[in-house]
Amino acid sequence: MSGLEGRVAIVTGGARGIGATYVRALHAEGAHVVITDILADQGEALAEELGADAAPGAGRASFCELDVTDEEAWDRAVAETLERFGAVDVLVNNAGMANAAPIEHFTLAKWNTVLAVNLTGTFLGCRAVVPAMKAAGRGSIVNVSSVEGLRGSERLHGYTATKFGVRGLTKSLAVELGRDGIRVNSIHPGFIETEMTTRIDPARLLIPLGRPGAPADLAGALVFLAGDASAYVTGAEIVVDGGMTTGIPHT
Ligand code: NAI
């Protein structure tokens, strides 16, 4: 149904959290998945659980250590994927981090760190896979933004700037790459319970659907954007936030 059977996907930050859910969802649809992350132990363990195999072409999951801020590591990851599976059909730019401080205390180091991972990392990933996608005449890139790419959030200055940036980069790429058969869309999760959000109390959030999100809540949107059901969708923003950015329910 999704058309993902036999397709090859790279997922960044795929070792844990929402990224691991994306990995599992793509794998369940029959895709070959290259899990990438800086967390080697967790990434290897997930690949093993999904049936990694050392021989090229065998198994449908593998792990490749990749810091998304490292330009050369991107070239290596794409080359390894092409060698092992022969294509890059899908890229999910999911790796991300958050830091927070009032603006007077938001250091340049904090700003540069979050920009490097969330925005530059996404740019490098898109740039690295485009030659293979152009050669194949098809591809789907899913960039992970956030509800913080749609509105402001106090103290999250760098994070918010990167997630708006990811949304903008998605639009320029969608326009430029459409004629090559490459679609580029963004996904905007709301509050999802992962390691990233452990310090936030969901009871304080007013969510129309009445509960915080779980990583599994993102799987359907990701499979839609990665696969053929969205064949005529590019430059779109899919918001998966339980209605959080739609309005505030009366309590
Ligand atoms: P998480 O912290 O559990 O996972 C982030 C993953 O990215 C980790 O596996 C981490 O090792 C990896 N990562 C961090 N820096 C990296 C680097 N330099 N190179 C490669 N990998 C790196 O967080 P979560 O919640 O799973 O977040 C995944 C994505 O979803 C992020 O882009 C985040 O901004 C976004 N998101 C999360 C929301 C939430 O409520 N949890 C809401 C909206 C967006």
Side-chain angles (χ1 to χ4, degrees):
M1 275 287 282
S2 68
L4 287 164
E5 176 116 37
R7 298 272 168 92
V8 181
I10 297 176
V11 180
T12 69
R16 74 171 193 204
I18 304 171
T21 295
Y22 294 151
V23 166
R24 289 177 194 281
L26 293 167
H27 190 264
E29 292 294 322
H32 301 265
V33 188
V34 178
I35 304 158
T36 70
D37 209 300
I38 47 175
L39 300 174
D41 290 349
Q42 279 172 264
E44 305 263 17
L46 180 55
E48 207 162 297
E49 183 201 316
L50 295 176
D53 195 305
R60 283 196 295 109
S62 69
F63 175 73
C64 174
E65 194 164 342
L66 169 68
D67 179 337
V68 293
T69 67
D70 183 341
E71 193 174 9
E72 284 161 17
W74 265 111
D75 291 341
R76 285 197 298 275
V78 170
E80 214 175 293
T81 304
L82 290 172
E83 191 183 329
R84 192 179 170 106
F85 297 124
V88 184
D89 300 303
V90 175
L91 170 65
V92 186
N93 279 309
N94 163 79
M97 58 156 297
N99 54 23
I103 189 64
E104 307 93 307
H105 301 289
F106 209 98
T107 61
L108 182 58
K110 252 185 171 17
W111 175 264
N112 284 338
T113 304
V114 71
L115 255 78
V117 176
N118 295 5
L119 187 53
T120 307
T122 300
F123 154 71
L124 289 174
C126 294
R127 201 185 60 181
V129 299
V130 159
M133 288 184 173
K134 275 191 176 178
R138 70 163 189 226
S140 173
I141 297 174
V142 183
N143 289 330
V144 178
S145 178
S146 166
V147 290
E148 314 316 345
L150 303 169
R151 56 157 204 201
S153 195
E154 66 176 311
R155 298 164 54 89
L156 287 174
H157 308 295
Y159 186 81
T160 302
T162 64
K163 295 301 185 178
F164 269 79
V166 165
R167 183 173 161 221
L169 175 65
T170 301
K171 308 284 187 217
S172 63
L173 289 170
V175 173
E176 182 168 314
L177 299 173
R179 67 181 76 92
D180 296 298
I182 303 169
R183 301 182 297 102
V184 192
N185 294 288
S186 56
I187 195 164
H188 299 257
F191 178 83
I192 311 296
E193 290 185 308
T194 66
E195 307 248 354
M196 188 179 275
T197 54
T198 45
R199 275 182 284 173
I200 304 170
D201 176 8
R204 288 178 47 229
L205 304 169
L206 298 170
I207 301 171
L209 286 183
R211 65 169 176 88
D217 289 312
L218 273 310
L222 188 273
V223 167
F224 170 71
L225 289 177
D228 290 347
S230 60
Y232 200 58
V233 178
T234 197
E237 299 162 9
I238 306 282
V239 182
V240 186
D241 71 345
M244 216 170 131
T245 49
T246 300
I248 300 169
H250 295 288
T251 48

